[in-house]
Amino acid sequence: MTDAARPDDPLIKGWCPGALRPMLSGDGLVVRVRPFGGRLRRAQADGLASLAAAHGNGLIDLSSRGNLQLRGVREDSFEALIEGLHGLRLLDANAEVEGRRNILTTPFWSVGDETEYLTAALTDALAKEDAPNLPAKFGFAVDTGDQPVLQRASADIRLEREAQGGLILRPDGAALGKQVDVNTAIGEAMQLAHWFAANRGTHKRMAKLLATGQSLPTGFTRSMQEQTYTPTPGLSEQGVLAGLAFGQLTAQTLAGLAKHGALRMTPWRMVLIEGAQDMPQLPGLIAAQDDPLLRIAACTGAPGCPQALIETRALARALAPHLPVGQTLHVSGCAKGCAHPNPAALTITGTAQGLSLIHNGRASDDPAQTGHSPHSILKAI
């Protein structure tokens, strides 16, 4: 592989869409809504479903950061959509604040607990004028439930529990955290974010900076809990987790979910329905814990994404029954690997020469086999 660009090299934009800063894709504008606290009240969920149907193509993607992307939004409808989102109180003060508010919150919290307070306080801190200037994809995780559940999700600064149960602040990529409490956690998190901004050079993520050997400030000496939790659909203390194939749902399904309770977003292609005791019977929901679609990541693909070289989700559905038990599969329309930046047991990448098969790698890694058709790739996995 050479440094020269290949004909099928994807265009890396280096930023994610927002509501106030949408991104043009093959099916129209992508408008990303970031629910405050990772939660939609029932009226907000119902209203968002109506907006997605009225101003887009009715398809909504749940992202790996727990955000909702309205697809196919028409440019002549964008202003009306923004007005509707403002009425639902789903907008930040401006695009700069929106861009900084990359907060992922554990869905397992109770009203009035530390998680709810810390998420709200962090939201307020990131909206202030003195908030640090951070790269577009830099994010925070409030993972302060009884056990960590977000350590495999994308975040750069993490609030979580130490082995003894106290709060710690941990930079992503570091094994140790700094002891904090509910009163100091947000101030310390902002100081760490300012430290990263001052020392990052060209690095855009915390783990990449620490991998260079950059020394952290003093105080990071507390051991973290290791995550053992594996997300699966079903009943939890806070409600029911419902799976979504490829993280996508229709406006109709979102409106149906809103009838059952408020919704908490997750990075696992699942939504938690607050207070629910049973799985709703709605189109597109995954209830079975052994459904192979839960182990498959697939981006929008062609024609929805102009950079995709294959139709990803039809292929993923065809391969699902043949996926070996316990293995993960990533079907990527191009080498960017937007749907699953981390390695998967099996990755299929669309190229101008056909389908490439990669073992234990990312969409951009060198393939073990290439030039496959949708028919021949079935035999290869």
Side-chain angles (χ1 to χ4, degrees):
M1 189 178 300
T2 66
D3 291 335
R6 300 170 302 186
D8 56 330
D9 276 343
L11 174 64
I12 299 175
K13 296 184 179 181
W15 57 279
C16 295
L20 299 173
R21 190 188 182 196
M23 182 182 287
L24 184 62
S25 193
D27 55 355
L29 293 174
V30 177
V31 176
R32 177 177 288 191
V33 177
R34 308 180 187 202
F36 288 88
R39 179 179 185 265
L40 290 176
R41 301 191 306 274
R42 295 174 69 170
Q44 288 178 315
D46 187 62
L48 190 61
S50 297
L51 292 174
H55 303 295
N57 61 15
L59 295 178
I60 303 165
D61 289 330
L62 177 62
S63 79
S64 61
R65 290 176 181 242
N67 299 314
L68 292 165
Q69 297 186 159
L70 279 57
R71 300 204 63 91
V73 173
R74 301 180 301 279
E75 293 192 48
D76 60 1
S77 277
F78 178 66
E79 288 189 11
L81 171 61
I82 290 299
E83 183 178 345
L85 292 173
H86 179 75
L88 293 173
R89 298 186 178 181
L90 289 173
L91 291 182
D92 292 279
N94 54 57
E96 289 71 26
V97 173
E98 178 185 67
R100 286 196 297 268
R101 189 172 58 84
N102 291 322
I103 304 173
L104 189 56
T105 302
T106 172
F108 305 124
W109 54 270
S110 300
V111 174
D113 71 4
E114 288 182 342
T115 297
E116 185 181 35
Y117 170 80
L118 290 169
T119 300
L122 182 57
T123 298
D124 290 344
L126 289 170
K128 292 181 179 179
E129 291 185 0
D130 62 353
N133 183 21
L134 298 168
K137 295 189 177 184
F138 192 94
F140 300 78
V142 182
D143 194 12
T144 47
D146 292 336
Q147 60 174 322
V149 299
L150 300 177
Q151 289 180 350
R152 298 165 196 156
S154 177
D156 297 273
I157 293 177
R158 301 174 180 274
L159 286 169
E160 53 193 18
R161 299 286 175 187
E162 65 173 337
Q164 289 74 33
L167 285 174
I168 60 169
L169 173 72
R170 185 173 65 85
D172 193 47
L176 300 176
K178 183 175 185 178
Q179 188 170 29
V180 294
D181 59 36
V182 70
N183 296 312
T184 62
I186 302 305
E188 292 282 1
M190 289 298 98
Q191 286 187 35
L192 183 58
H194 279 290
W195 173 87
F196 173 83
N199 290 277
R200 72 181 185 90
T202 59
H203 295 287
K204 298 179 179 180
R205 305 303 301 268
M206 179 70 79
K208 292 287 188 182
L209 174 61
L210 296 186
T212 67
Q214 175 72 47
S215 297
L216 284 165
T218 59
F220 290 86
T221 59
R222 309 294 290 191
S223 298
M224 65 177 184
Q225 290 187 45
E226 295 284 351
Q227 178 173 330
T228 58
Y229 174 77
T230 299
T232 54
L235 190 63
S236 74
E237 184 178 342
Q238 289 77 18
V240 168
L241 272 172
L244 305 169
F246 316 124
Q248 189 169 85
L249 72 165
T250 65
Q252 179 183 6
T253 296
L254 179 59
L257 286 170
K259 299 181 189 306
H260 293 268
L263 306 178
R264 300 182 187 182
M265 306 301 116
T266 81
W268 313 312
R269 303 193 295 276
M270 300 181 198
V271 293
L272 189 148
I273 310 161
E274 281 187 12
Q277 297 297 311
D278 301 293
M279 186 74 67
Q281 299 301 305
L282 293 169
L285 298 189
I286 298 176
Q289 296 185 358
D290 60 352
D291 192 316
L293 287 174
L294 293 170
R295 294 182 279 116
I296 301 178
C299 62
T300 298
C305 175
Q307 298 191 66
L309 298 164
I310 58 170
E311 293 186 31
T312 54
R313 291 178 177 172
L315 177 60
R317 287 187 182 278
L319 295 176
H322 307 279
L323 185 64
V325 175
Q327 285 200 330
T328 55
L329 170 64
H330 175 200
V331 182
S332 183
C334 71
K336 284 173 65 177
C338 295
H340 189 73
N342 296 319
L346 297 170
T347 297
I348 296 170
T349 303
T351 74
Q353 293 74 39
L355 302 176
S356 292
L357 178 63
I358 300 157
H359 294 285
N360 300 310
R362 299 174 173 83
S364 59
D365 289 344
D366 291 332
Q369 302 171 29
T370 192
H372 278 288
S373 68
H375 176 71
S376 67
I377 200 74
L378 177 59
K379 299 178 181 178
I381 68 168

